[in-house]
Amino acid sequence: MAERYPFDQFEAKWQKYWDENKTFKTLDGPSDKPKYYILDMFPYPSGAGLHVGHPEGYTATDIIARYKRMCGFNVLHPMGWDAFGLPAEQYAIETGTPPAIKTAENIATFKRQIQSLGFSYDWDREINTTDEAYYKWTQWIFLQLFKKGLAYEAEVAVNWCPALGTVLANEEVIDGKSERGGHPVIRKPMRQWMLKITAYADRLLSDLDDLDWSESIKDMQRNWIGKSEGAEVNFPVDGYDLSLKVFTTRPDTLFGATYMVVAPEHPYLDQITVTDQLSAVKAYGLKAERKSDLDRTELAKEKTGVFTGAYAINPVNQALIPIWVSDYVLMSYGTGAIMAVPAHDTRDYEFAKTFDLPIVEVVSGGDVSEAAFTTIEDGVMINSATSDGGFSIDGLKPSKAIDKMSDWLEATGKGKIATNYKLRDWLFSRQRYWGEPFPILKDGNDIIPLSDSDLPLTLPVLDRIKPSGTGESPLANAKEWLQVVDPASGKVYRRETNTMPQWAGSCWYYLRFIDPHNNDQAWDLEKEKYWMPVDLYIGGAEHAVLHLLYARFWHKVMYDLGYVSTKEPFQKLVNQGMILGMDGEKMSKSRGNVINPDDVVKQYGADSMRLYEMFMGPLERSKPWNTNGIEGVYRFLNKLWRHFINDKNQVIELTDAQPDTETLVMMHASIKKVGMDLDALAFNTAISQLMVFSNHLRSLEQVPRVALETLLILLNPFAPHIAEEMWHLLGNSNILAYSPWPKYDETLLEKTLLNLAIQINGKVRGQIEVEVDAAKEVILELAYAHSSIKQYTKGKTIVKEIVIPNRIVNIVVK
RNA sequence: GCCCGGGUGGCGGAAUUGGUAGACGCGCUAGGUUCAGGAUCUAGUAUAUUCACGUAUGUGCUGGUUCGAUUCCAGUCUCGGGCACCA
């Protein structure tokens, strides 16, 4: 390791200075400065503390925040804690330590670690989702959702572990057994709160278009919402006064429907199954239920099913087709029933082959004796006309036939055009203690919301958190808390024992940062108008779908209620890539490849840590940690310090003379490149330019003060401690944090002479120096005069001369 | 299976609209400094071949478009992420 420059002497000093002087306190808007709201995904403060992945995003946002301040923006850059969640509760059950205590300890560790990196957060805006003053408003938002009819109760199956007397999260269930103890886990329906996110599916989808997010994240959200357009078709059940409704994206293939399949949970199943088949169907239903419980990762997708004995009437040709039951049809998607077109659907094809059901080709172009033909781009409809010839789609392309059949369904009332979504309503309750209590009272089945004045409904302090044994949360043990007596009527109500999931607090924290201490409102509407939307949001890709979708949903509800002024909360989103271990694998305790930021800061200092996190590669890419790499950036800072600062902490002698041309050009080129790279979040190449500039300055006999000062200004967002320290050693009394970002002079960067490569048949064979915008004739004359070009053209026929001004010359010879 | 991203020296990675591939950093080699090691400074460093000048090859692979392709197009292999019987 290189000899240390004294970072340990001044990094803490500057952190203390910024803290004591509240250097980064954000004044409430509106102000005359343009605003910039830059947000990190706030962390869950786990017991393990920070790992090097956390500071990657935080460093990126901090650099941008510091850069934007220097550019004259009013910057909002806050940090807080998403502190409800399972681990603290599990810890409480095991050790008896109350979750609030453990959580506070974890937060203290996280905060110390984050602060040791010199991030410029406005700590006066720190929020914690577990504070009463915060979750009061989470509860308030829930009440808004409830009043709008977007929150409802439903019976939903949970992972119930009888031995532990508790409900488990999916991640606590491994191979059908509880993670702790290995006890059996069964599915048990319980009353749960649901949020009607599906009501916003269309807007959540279409509003993605205007966001400055990566296409891949938008695609993930689009896929999750899973919009598909098609038709609903009613198939009357033969002999019954009811019809099976199906959803299909391929109404064009209706003539090819040779059977139907309903999900094992379909409500009509008991009614329509013939007596002979009843026991077989019931047995199948039980098996299907168990299968999904025990081993849902079963990869062998062998088709199974049972015939119900019933028949349906195909509405387009009156054909009688058998109705089967099979678990390849899901009750939770579409209508829980399908029309099966084996010739043109892979799954139906497999099923038909397994049970020897007829396969009728209605789109020509494939070979249905071999495989299902599923494309709608090619092929022509066949066998698709009614026997009386009254209706036909024969001869059409499938895509056209879809429209014609849909119209026919609408016209005859046998079906209608329909849209379906994969997105389901959001299961919004957990059987846990450590979460926001629902502001809800129960009177039998009646639901009574608390009034706003009763908020917050605080969590009761329990001597010991333990399972209720009934599947209800540990709150069911809090007898006093549970019972509420109405003083007027004397009537006794019971509180809701479910709590909200961890997502709740993170769904709106970006709004609370705007006005974190408001006791009368969740946030002030004027302040919201000033600060929203978030201009840049950086966080891990693991939240690409759920957190972002849920937050967008709440935001739209708040928008509809007039509490926020923007349709979308996060205008620009960037997902940082993962930092892998030295071995190129995901960092994990079991692999032993975890890097602790505390060790890095101790050994190399915060500036080197920050610089290395950004120098490793593009922010959005995954990349491996390499200790040699941090040595490199450390050496860069070390050389900078030791070249300009002597043993007595004095700056070497600088010159006040104008820099020479080369230095001046490099200085302005650096201002330009670093600024442009920062705008593009290309931190690694910006740092590279700083190194180039710094290397040049160190090579000079006489270093111009203005050049060194410019370097320090440019370096400041990246390595603020060393930049501030050297800035002050240079005799400046202002602080760099708010020094204006320098402007560059474009005219200095315009070259008068440039090197032009001469190619022969596309291969570079020589270079000439010409004036910018030199005439084609001049260039060619110089080119042919070049010795090696002469050699390559000697005795050859010149076929073509390509001269691209200021770029290249290519001479094609034969 | 479907939907997204990536594949460039020994390594992390650079490369405006197609226009001199390999910036910057690591590592390595040689030399200076040092009693020595470390640290540091200087020079070199894609591969093959050559004493050298040079020449040939080279951005996963195979083709294509072009005077010219890391960049555009088609196909293919591979790694990573997401979803997964979604009708």
Side-chain angles (χ1 to χ4, degrees):
Chain A
M1 190 177 130
E3 192 178 314
R4 295 160 76 93
Y5 74 98
F7 62 82
D8 46 345
Q9 287 172 26
F10 59 76
E11 287 191 346
K13 180 184 93 181
W14 281 106
Q15 287 166 15
K16 195 167 160 228
Y17 175 93
W18 295 324
D19 187 39
E20 286 176 351
N21 291 279
K22 295 202 183 290
T23 304
F24 302 113
K25 185 169 174 64
T26 304
L27 297 177
D28 276 322
S31 86
D32 52 346
K33 288 182 181 177
K35 69 95 183 179
Y36 196 82
Y37 186 177
I38 180 161
L39 183 67
D40 292 289
M41 288 183 186
F42 68 160
Y44 172 74
S46 73
L50 228 54
H51 59 81
V52 290
H54 283 114
E56 188 193 13
Y58 303 161
T59 304
T61 54
D62 193 63
I63 290 169
I64 298 299
R66 286 174 180 271
Y67 169 61
K68 289 287 178 185
R69 278 188 209 102
M70 294 170 82
C71 290
F73 285 84
N74 189 23
V75 171
L76 178 56
H77 185 41
M79 182 45 84
W81 318 106
D82 188 15
F84 275 128
L86 198 49
E89 179 152 345
Q90 286 172 329
Y91 188 79
I93 291 169
E94 282 162 24
T95 66
T97 308
I101 303 287
K102 180 66 182 165
T103 301
E105 281 172 18
N106 291 351
I107 287 175
T109 302
F110 260 67
K111 189 169 178 180
R112 176 188 61 72
Q113 290 184 301
I114 286 177
Q115 288 188 317
S116 77
L117 287 161
F119 295 136
S120 62
Y121 294 115
D122 176 1
W123 286 105
D124 288 350
R125 291 175 188 258
E126 178 179 356
I127 58 180
N128 174 342
T129 55
T130 67
D131 277 349
E132 295 169 21
Y134 182 88
Y135 71 70
K136 169 181 178 176
W137 299 108
T138 310
Q139 291 170 333
W140 176 81
I141 293 173
F142 175 80
L143 288 177
Q144 304 306 308
L145 289 157
F146 180 79
K147 285 176 199 160
K148 213 169 178 293
L150 293 169
Y152 65 96
E153 289 187 299
E155 291 279 323
V156 180
V158 294
N159 302 307
W160 166 242
C161 179
L164 294 172
T166 186
V167 173
L168 300 175
N170 285 337
E171 60 265 30
E172 294 175 290
V173 182
I174 294 163
D175 293 333
K177 301 261 163 81
S178 65
E179 186 186 20
R180 282 180 302 129
H183 306 291
V185 175
I186 61 165
R187 306 280 292 173
K188 173 179 164 183
M190 280 194 69
R191 187 188 47 78
Q192 306 253 29
W193 281 97
M194 306 290 290
L195 294 184
K196 217 180 267 179
I197 191 172
T198 51
Y200 282 73
D202 235 348
R203 286 164 64 187
L204 288 168
L205 184 67
S206 59
D207 288 346
L208 281 172
D209 294 344
D210 298 326
L211 295 177
D212 188 5
W213 295 16
S214 74
E215 272 309 306
S216 66
I217 298 294
K218 288 192 196 180
D219 270 334
M220 279 165 74
Q221 294 227 341
R222 289 186 187 115
N223 291 340
W224 192 266
I225 294 166
K227 181 178 186 171
S228 51
E229 287 168 337
E232 272 176 15
V233 188
N234 293 310
F235 284 71
V237 181
D238 188 39
Y240 293 88
D241 186 21
L242 45 83
S243 52
L244 280 173
K245 188 190 280 180
V246 305
F247 173 75
T248 177
T249 55
R250 294 296 304 275
D252 57 315
T253 61
L254 188 50
F255 284 96
T258 54
Y259 65 99
M260 297 189 76
V261 185
V262 298
E265 305 86 5
H266 198 282
Y268 292 177
L269 201 51
D270 289 347
Q271 207 178 334
I272 63 174
T273 303
V274 297
T275 321
D276 283 356
Q277 290 296 98
L278 208 54
S279 60
V281 167
K282 284 234 185 285
Y284 184 78
L286 283 173
K287 212 172 89 190
E289 198 178 305
R290 230 176 307 129
K291 192 164 139 191
S292 63
D293 286 350
L294 287 179
D295 200 0
R296 38 178 89 191
T297 58
E298 188 183 18
L299 280 172
K301 294 279 161 72
E302 289 271 304
K303 292 283 182 289
T304 58
V306 174
F307 179 42
T308 63
Y311 287 84
I313 300 160
N314 186 331
V316 74
N317 61 5
Q318 317 309 315
L320 272 186
I321 56 176
I323 303 172
W324 286 65
V325 55
S326 173
D327 59 6
Y328 86 89
V329 172
L330 309 174
M331 197 59 223
S332 51
Y333 182 79
T335 61
I338 62 156
M339 66 176 207
V341 186
H344 305 290
D345 181 282
T346 314
R347 297 149 299 175
D348 297 344
Y349 190 86
E350 287 167 8
F351 191 82
K353 284 287 182 192
T354 306
F355 294 101
D356 205 20
L357 291 159
I359 296 169
V360 174
E361 183 180 35
V362 291
V363 185
S364 68
D367 178 5
V368 300
S369 67
E370 284 295 321
F373 180 67
T374 58
T375 177
I376 61 166
E377 306 306 326
D378 305 309
V380 171
M381 302 308 301
I382 54 170
N383 300 326
S384 295
T386 53
S387 52
D388 61 5
F391 177 70
S392 170
I393 52 173
D394 279 343
L396 293 178
K397 265 185 65 172
S399 52
K400 286 271 182 322
I402 288 173
D403 294 339
K404 187 165 178 187
M405 181 62 88
S406 301
D407 292 344
W408 181 83
L409 288 167
E410 290 263 349
T412 57
K414 297 184 180 198
K416 60 177 191 189
I417 293 168
T419 303
N420 241 296
Y421 297 93
K422 275 198 266 185
L423 184 69
R424 315 281 156 74
D425 277 343
W426 175 10
L427 176 56
F428 191 69
S429 50
R430 302 288 184 269
Q431 294 69 49
R432 299 289 174 186
Y433 167 82
W434 193 231
E436 299 88 347
F438 281 86
I440 291 289
L441 295 175
K442 305 297 259 280
D443 178 16
N445 283 330
D446 290 342
I447 298 165
I448 299 108
L450 297 185
S451 63
D452 290 358
S453 59
D454 290 329
L455 301 182
L457 169 60
T458 56
L459 280 169
V461 176
L462 298 179
D463 291 342
R464 181 81 205 211
I465 311 260
K466 50 178 185 270
S468 65
T470 62
E472 283 193 290
S473 84
L475 287 173
N477 300 331
K479 296 282 180 272
E480 298 216 341
W481 181 84
L482 213 53
Q483 305 279 322
V484 179
V485 181
D486 180 0
S489 64
K491 198 166 170 181
V492 179
Y493 298 95
R494 188 171 193 268
R495 291 198 192 278
E496 171 64 87
T497 57
N498 283 315
T499 54
M500 299 185 202
Q502 203 185 348
W503 306 109
S506 61
C507 267
W508 72 282
Y509 74 112
Y510 59 94
L511 290 165
R512 188 63 177 175
F513 277 137
I514 287 167
D515 195 12
H517 307 296
N518 196 329
N519 287 322
D520 307 317
Q521 290 167 281
W523 57 86
D524 178 84
L525 300 192
E526 284 304 311
K527 290 178 185 172
E528 186 279 333
K529 267 198 195 95
Y530 175 72
W531 283 113
M532 286 301 286
V534 174
D535 296 282
L536 179 61
Y537 192 27
I538 294 184
E542 66 272 25
H543 298 117
V545 179
L546 293 182
H547 159 63
L548 289 168
L549 201 63
Y550 293 156
R552 292 178 63 221
F553 163 47
W554 279 31
H555 193 86
K556 286 182 186 304
V557 175
M558 290 293 108
Y559 177 77
D560 290 347
L561 292 170
Y563 290 111
V564 298
S565 58
T566 63
K567 280 199 283 189
E568 286 285 334
F570 314 119
Q571 187 52 41
K572 183 175 169 72
L573 169 78
V574 174
N575 287 112
Q576 87 249 19
M578 211 181 331
I579 293 188
L580 308 169
M582 295 247 260
D583 50 3
E585 301 289 331
K586 211 180 249 188
M587 279 193 199
S588 71
K589 257 189 201 156
S590 57
R591 278 206 186 81
N593 59 355
V594 176
I595 304 282
N596 182 343
D598 285 346
D599 298 339
V600 178
V601 170
K602 189 159 178 244
Q603 196 174 356
Y604 299 100
D607 284 334
S608 294
M609 171 79 185
R610 294 167 57 108
L611 222 42
Y612 180 59
E613 291 257 1
M614 295 297 102
F615 189 61
M616 288 167 81
L619 181 65
E620 297 185 70
R621 282 243 273 277
S622 292
K623 54 242 158 188
W625 184 271
N626 186 334
T627 304
N628 287 332
I630 195 164
E631 285 275 354
V633 294
Y634 177 76
R635 270 198 284 241
F636 161 58
L637 295 180
N638 207 17
K639 283 190 276 192
L640 179 69
W641 177 273
R642 300 204 305 161
H643 189 84
F644 294 107
I645 310 293
N646 68 18
D647 294 344
K648 297 184 189 113
N649 269 7
Q650 291 160 334
V651 185
I652 63 160
E653 199 176 316
L654 302 170
T655 172
D656 287 318
Q658 265 291 303
D660 60 275
T661 310
E662 190 190 357
T663 305
L664 196 65
V665 167
M666 189 174 283
M667 184 174 113
H668 283 263
S670 298
I671 296 168
K672 180 177 182 179
K673 172 135 183 82
V674 173
M676 280 174 50
D677 282 351
L678 283 178
D679 291 333
L681 307 182
F683 301 100
N684 53 333
T685 49
I687 293 168
S688 155
Q689 182 64 34
L690 292 171
M691 289 174 169
V692 171
F693 188 26
S694 168
N695 288 344
H696 173 73
L697 292 189
R698 285 191 301 111
S699 73
L700 297 177
E701 292 278 320
Q702 285 276 299
V703 177
R705 167 176 288 268
V706 63
L708 180 58
E709 290 195 342
T710 302
L711 174 63
L712 294 177
I713 294 171
L714 300 183
L715 178 66
N716 179 60
F718 301 86
H721 308 87
I722 190 174
E724 287 279 16
E725 182 69 11
M726 286 181 71
W727 181 253
H728 282 260
L729 291 177
L730 259 84
N732 295 294
S733 53
N734 63 327
I735 59 163
L736 270 180
Y738 288 94
S739 295
W741 192 257
K743 303 241 184 300
Y744 60 91
D745 183 352
E746 186 73 52
T747 58
L748 283 170
L749 303 179
E750 288 165 3
K751 289 184 179 169
T752 50
L753 284 177
L754 49 80
N755 277 325
L756 213 54
I758 314 295
Q759 297 180 332
I760 302 292
N761 291 344
K763 290 201 163 79
V764 177
R765 298 299 182 186
Q767 285 186 27
I768 55 171
E769 195 171 63
V770 295
E771 282 185 16
V772 168
D773 296 329
K776 187 175 171 177
E777 293 73 24
V778 176
I779 291 172
L780 281 173
E781 194 179 325
L782 279 166
Y784 285 120
H786 194 279
S787 60
S788 65
I789 301 301
K790 270 183 189 161
Q791 209 182 333
Y792 279 99
T793 51
K794 200 165 74 185
K796 301 280 176 75
T797 317
I798 287 154
V799 180
K800 201 170 180 183
E801 292 164 335
I802 294 140
V803 180
I804 311 292
N806 304 332
R807 288 236 180 250
I808 206 158
V809 176
N810 191 8
I811 298 166
V812 185
V813 300
K814 223 167 33 184

